[in-house]
Amino acid sequence: MSDLTAAADIDSRLEGHRVELTGYCYRMLGSAFEAEDAVQDTMVRAWRNFEKFEGRSSLRSWLYRIATNVCLDMLNAGKKRARPVDLTGPTPLARAALNPLPENTWLEPMPDGRILPTVTDPAEAAVARESVRLAFVAALQHLPPKQRAVLILREVLAWRASEVAELLDTSVASVNSALQRARATLTEHEGEAVDTANPLDEEQRKLLERYVAAFEGYDMAALTALLHEDAVMTMPPFDLWLQGHDDITGFMLSIGAGCAGSRLVATSANGTPAFAHYKPDPDGPGFVPWAVQVIDVSEGSVTGMHCFLDTPRWFPLFGLPDHLDDAA
């Protein structure tokens, strides 16, 4: 085998694991871009040390060991990312103000295609989607880094305790103890389950169609009918979050009134339905990016509208156009 052929073979073998490694690093770090950086660092380290890979473990296990070490190094500073609902109580509409916090404060959305590998087992696919929900990844941020790794490897990826112990250079007893503590912490912080897009059933599709019609028509009565009475609306990078359909629709008719006449384009993020939100272009015809909306749906209602406003970062990541014409 020539050197070029051998190099191409190594590249192909490493790249075959990129999506699942990105999902793992995203769960660990809570950041789309840090996760992709961590995976790229993992690939570079694996490439440079490939001749030292002796096959005593599978290539997949070896890559997860490297990725875990990269993530643990990145988490050594003790930083964790959060949602607005993790930092403060809800803001009454009368006191609503848009106060931005630094980018590294926030849990970030992630396109499904970058973190959810194609699997044939429906149960495995459901676990994968459930484990990248915003609420689940936010709950993971409350765990110390090694507990986070143990829980993801054991509960999400279904590794045996002995495999995790080998990866972390620790004992099976230590892994089991860490998993028990992690489960207890996660139970305190995870919150209510939401429906994942795997795929959506007919009732869920119709609910989202009504949501799009209400939002694009700026019909607050129709939107109120779709929102759970305790629905939340968040808008990172602003720390403001609203709870209840009255405050949400009141905000949309006051501070958020510029969103009237918007268009929504379906996408998916974090295993749940999502939309690219385009506002009317103030400088001419068509529509310009405003937010990526990640939507929580549960038991026939919209329970969460999570609007990520840093569109210069999000729209390229999601492969979304930077302008819509009037016919879109």
Side-chain angles (χ1 to χ4, degrees):
M1 184 182 293
S2 70
D3 289 346
L4 286 177
T5 303
D9 179 62
I10 294 171
D11 278 342
S12 177
R13 292 175 68 188
L14 296 178
E15 285 298 320
H17 297 278
R18 182 177 289 274
V19 173
E20 65 169 313
L21 287 172
T22 304
Y24 175 63
C25 293
Y26 173 70
R27 295 177 184 99
M28 286 289 290
L29 302 170
S31 164
F33 297 100
E34 287 183 1
E36 296 205 323
D37 287 347
V39 172
Q40 191 58 33
D41 191 359
T42 298
M43 295 297 186
V44 169
R45 294 188 192 189
W47 174 264
R48 288 175 177 169
N49 293 283
F50 199 82
E51 61 185 30
K52 299 178 185 176
F53 172 58
E54 300 172 350
R56 287 182 300 214
S57 63
S58 69
L59 176 60
R60 180 173 183 253
S61 297
W62 185 60
L63 289 172
Y64 269 94
R65 175 188 285 270
I66 298 171
T68 299
N69 288 332
V70 170
C71 289
L72 292 178
D73 287 345
M74 295 174 73
L75 290 167
N76 273 344
K79 62 182 178 182
K80 64 181 182 180
R81 290 175 177 263
R83 304 166 299 167
V85 297
D86 300 318
L87 301 181
T88 66
T91 306
L93 178 60
R95 298 208 306 269
L98 300 179
N99 303 309
L101 294 179
E103 171 273 322
N104 62 5
T105 305
W106 302 117
L107 182 70
E108 297 178 345
M110 192 63 149
D112 285 358
R114 290 180 180 261
I115 52 174
L116 293 175
T118 302
V119 295
T120 56
D121 182 352
E124 187 179 341
V127 169
R129 289 183 175 277
E130 182 73 17
S131 67
V132 294
R133 290 186 300 110
L134 287 173
F136 185 86
V137 180
L140 289 174
Q141 302 296 300
H142 292 276
L143 301 177
K146 284 196 175 180
Q147 281 187 30
R148 203 177 304 179
V150 167
L151 186 130
I152 297 167
L153 291 166
R154 291 282 284 119
E155 300 280 81
V156 177
L157 301 176
W159 285 38
R160 295 191 298 272
S162 59
E163 294 173 318
V164 178
E166 182 179 356
L167 182 146
L168 293 174
D169 293 323
T170 189
S171 67
V172 169
S174 177
V175 166
N176 289 336
S177 176
L179 180 59
Q180 186 175 10
R181 294 195 302 273
R183 284 171 173 165
T185 301
L186 209 64
T187 300
E188 295 176 15
H189 294 285
E190 188 181 357
E192 297 296 323
V194 299
D195 299 346
T196 54
N198 190 33
L200 295 171
D201 62 28
E202 184 66 20
E203 181 183 349
Q204 292 164 337
R205 284 197 297 272
K206 288 181 177 178
L207 174 67
L208 291 172
E209 287 170 3
R210 293 197 297 272
Y211 173 79
V212 171
F215 197 98
E216 292 187 344
Y218 234 58
D219 183 339
M220 294 301 114
L223 186 61
T224 295
L226 303 176
L227 293 174
H228 189 276
E229 61 181 0
D230 293 324
V232 301
M233 182 178 185
T234 67
M235 290 163 282
F238 301 116
D239 60 359
L240 164 78
W241 67 279
L242 302 159
Q243 185 169 42
H245 42 61
D246 288 344
D247 276 2
I248 291 172
T249 56
F251 178 89
M252 292 176 65
L253 290 172
S254 54
I255 297 173
C259 290
S262 292
R263 294 290 180 268
L264 299 182
V265 176
T267 183
S268 61
N270 295 83
T272 57
F275 296 98
H277 174 188
Y278 291 84
K279 285 175 63 173
D281 189 340
D283 299 319
F287 304 86
V288 292
W290 181 249
V292 169
Q293 296 186 7
V294 182
I295 305 298
D296 291 338
V297 174
S298 181
E299 298 181 353
S301 296
V302 173
T303 57
M305 302 163 60
H306 307 289
C307 307
F308 295 88
L309 304 182
D310 192 358
T311 55
R313 301 175 78 227
W314 303 128
F315 275 52
L317 181 73
F318 279 76
L320 295 165
D322 60 7
H323 194 272
L324 290 182
D325 61 32
D326 285 325

